[in-house]
Amino acid sequence: MIGRDDARRALSNYVETPVALLMGRVGLTPNLVTIIGLLIAGVAAYLIAVGLWWVGGLVALFAGIFDMFDGALARNTGRASDFGALLDSTIDRVSEAVVLLGVLAFYLASDNDWGAMLVYAALVGSIMVSYMRARSEGLGIECKVGVMQRPERVALTGLGLIVAHWIPVVMLVVLGVIAALTTVTAIHRLVHTWRMLGPDK
């Protein structure tokens, strides 16, 4: 059975590295690729806000895929830097929030209170997952555990938007699932870090 690490390795070898090298040949820098990814997410948010959910979902998925290439470009061209890693992590959080902002804008314009509250819950859960990893790694502990990490959130949001264009309730379900599983993931990471530190610490 293919695990997450095996899939990630295959994706890196056969997709990320070749595309990243092509980007390097045309003169793109890792930081520029990061910024372009944010702009693509902004386009997705606008499309979602005006009700073009299936198009916005496709663009959001593309933005998520595009985000893979900045790190690969940095590694394969010897341009990796601490600032680049910080910028990438920061823009990842902003891009995710921007897409959810598009969903929130649509729900607010539609007077859908439940939708707005679920967007808020999903965003808070996503932030907590990222915060737990950052805080744990600041303590010297690797913390990549959990069922609802960023790739899963991006994929679920994008696919949910596409389907919800025709079946709107699907997006409410997707947001509820993200809110619930990000909470579970944040707790998982807290427990993981506690175990790694030891109860006496």
Side-chain angles (χ1 to χ4, degrees), residues 47-72:
L47 292 168
I48 294 163
V50 299
L52 296 174
W53 280 19
W54 74 272
V55 184
L58 288 174
V59 176
L61 288 174
F62 178 68
I65 294 171
F66 194 86
D67 175 62
M68 299 187 305
F69 301 127
D70 49 5

Side-chain angles (χ1 to χ4, degrees), residues 13-91:
N13 292 337
Y14 297 109
V15 179
E16 287 184 20
T17 298
V19 174
L21 291 174
L22 177 61
M23 288 178 168
R25 291 192 191 100
V26 300
L28 294 177
T29 66
N31 290 347
L32 181 57
V33 171
T34 299
I35 298 299
I36 292 173
L38 175 59
L39 295 176
I40 296 172
V43 172
Y46 172 77
L47 292 168
I48 294 163
V50 299
L52 296 174
W53 280 19
W54 74 272
V55 184
L58 288 174
V59 176
L61 288 174
F62 178 68
I65 294 171
F66 194 86
D67 175 62
M68 299 187 305
F69 301 127
D70 49 5
L73 178 59
R75 290 189 297 273
N76 285 282
T77 58
R79 297 179 179 179
S81 68
D82 290 338
F83 176 75
L86 174 62
L87 180 67
D88 182 36
S89 296
T90 302
I91 296 301

Side-chain angles (χ1 to χ4, degrees), residues 110-133:
S110 306
D111 292 323
N112 189 326
D113 294 338
W114 274 107
M117 288 188 289
L118 285 171
V119 170
Y120 175 78
L123 178 59
V124 170
S126 299
I127 290 171
M128 289 308 301
V129 169
S130 299
Y131 176 78
M132 285 305 305
R133 176 177 175 181

Side-chain angles (χ1 to χ4, degrees), residues 129-142:
V129 169
S130 299
Y131 176 78
M132 285 305 305
R133 176 177 175 181
R135 193 69 183 90
S136 297
E137 291 183 350
L139 296 171
I141 297 169
E142 185 177 54

